[in-house]
Amino acid sequence: MRNKKRSKPRTTSLRWKTNGVVSNISVTIDRLSGTVSPSSVEPGSVFSVVSYDRQSGKEKVLVSAPATVDAPAFDLDLQLSLRSSKLIAIDTNTKHICGRRVSVTCAYFSDLSYRTSTGATPIEPLCAYAILDSAPEVNAERIGWNLVLKNHVNLGAISATNQVGIVIDSDLSDLQALNSRKKPFYENNFLPDGFFFLFASSDGSSDHIASDMISLCDRSASMILNHMSSTQFEFGSGNQDDKNCADYFFLELIMPPMQK
């Protein structure tokens, strides 16, 4: 399904893997409910994807979120609201400052069940971290995910009916493996029950609340890094309990709430 209101027309698609090797596939479309039901689906492989084609012809994925064949296939908002009640977006940017490799992680939070009087969904700052000299073989993004999940999420408050989507802008090809707990998201840490990853690109800002949230994370991290660089920021001694970086620091992220 295409949205022609944008300069680059968006395509919304429902994608899945078959459950093993099959010789044929049949698909049932319910025009009344908007559901698309394939004959063979690998569990956990269904994703709702918003994308567009670059001039090169290569696809640019803007949002990819776990979905279900029991909901309207091309309604990403509904697919996501049926799966989760809260979103946390996490993004990490890196810059060399005063001879140090500095990565800044920023996270924003949104309660999808809450609406203002105008029908908007607030997006609020959650936290920020500065990570110093991360190991070259380790993705600093994943260090940031671990810090946010470890220090800012009350895992005991999450139930099977109150799931949380974690919006990231990397590791698109690993989403299914991370969500099915076949791969750890950091070291030997697997996603806890009640959490799942979804992908959103900051290039797709205003396409979806997930895109807006990851864009806010990206801009905030860049602003902090630029400030550190322009002021020749000096780092003291921080937390040294992560072997994959020299130090990390908690930063107070003071930003006005946004609305989507």
Side-chain angles (χ1 to χ4, degrees):
M1 183 178 69
R2 289 187 175 269
N3 182 344
K4 297 183 179 181
K5 293 182 180 180
R6 301 188 180 277
S7 57
K8 295 179 179 178
R10 273 44 169 163
T11 299
T12 301
S13 56
L14 192 71
R15 304 180 184 183
W16 65 88
K17 296 179 180 178
T18 61
N19 196 8
V21 178
V22 298
S23 58
N24 59 75
I25 301 173
S26 62
V27 177
T28 301
I29 300 174
D30 189 324
R31 296 184 181 276
L32 193 60
S33 66
T35 59
V36 174
S37 303
S39 57
S40 176
V41 179
E42 179 182 305
S45 72
V46 183
F47 281 81
S48 184
V49 179
V50 177
S51 63
Y52 67 80
D53 292 332
R54 295 186 177 100
Q55 288 185 341
S56 64
K58 187 176 180 180
E59 180 186 49
K60 170 65 177 180
V61 174
L62 298 174
V63 183
S64 180
T68 173
V69 295
D70 297 322
F74 306 113
D75 190 333
L76 179 60
D77 286 331
L78 182 55
Q79 287 277 2
L80 192 56
S81 66
L82 289 172
R83 179 70 185 267
S84 61
S85 58
K86 297 175 176 63
L87 290 180
I88 296 173
I90 310 171
D91 191 33
T92 300
N93 291 349
T94 300
K95 191 172 186 177
H96 285 87
I97 301 173
C98 300
R100 307 292 300 268
R101 175 181 165 84
V102 184
S103 301
V104 170
T105 296
C106 288
Y108 279 78
F109 169 82
S110 182
D111 186 340
L112 300 179
S113 64
Y114 179 76
R115 295 287 189 276
T116 65
S117 58
T118 60
T121 303
I123 301 172
E124 301 178 351
L126 180 63
C127 62
Y129 284 89
I131 303 164
L132 302 186
D133 301 322
S134 59
E137 69 277 7
V138 178
N139 185 353
E141 293 272 3
R142 297 203 175 210
I143 298 176
W145 300 350
N146 188 55
L147 288 173
V148 174
L149 282 169
K150 180 176 70 173
N151 297 317
H152 298 275
V153 177
N154 182 4
L155 302 183
I158 305 301
S159 69
T161 58
N162 185 23
Q163 297 200 349
V164 177
I166 307 294
V167 187
I168 57 176
D169 71 346
S170 64
D171 297 83
L172 174 60
S173 62
D174 278 344
L175 283 185
Q176 184 181 349
L178 291 169
N179 289 338
S180 63
R181 283 72 177 170
K182 292 179 179 178
K183 281 187 178 182
F185 71 88
Y186 183 67
E187 293 285 291
N188 295 319
N189 298 335
F190 292 83
L191 271 177
D193 292 340
F195 287 78
F196 65 92
F197 282 118
L198 63 144
F199 173 90
S201 169
S202 58
D203 296 342
S205 182
S206 78
D207 273 271
H208 188 270
I209 188 171
S211 300
D212 287 332
M213 291 178 70
I214 205 71
S215 181
L216 280 170
C217 294
D218 176 61
R219 294 202 304 269
S220 298
S222 293
M223 288 172 60
I224 293 171
L225 285 169
N226 289 337
H227 173 72
M228 288 177 172
S229 181
S230 64
T231 58
Q232 297 293 295
F233 194 85
E234 293 187 8
F235 298 96
S237 179
N239 298 281
Q240 299 176 328
D241 57 5
D242 191 317
K243 66 180 183 181
N244 291 315
C245 63
D247 301 274
Y248 67 86
F249 301 80
F250 172 73
L251 304 175
E252 190 173 3
L253 184 58
I254 304 175
M255 304 284 282
M258 308 292 288
Q259 294 184 352
K260 171 62 175 177

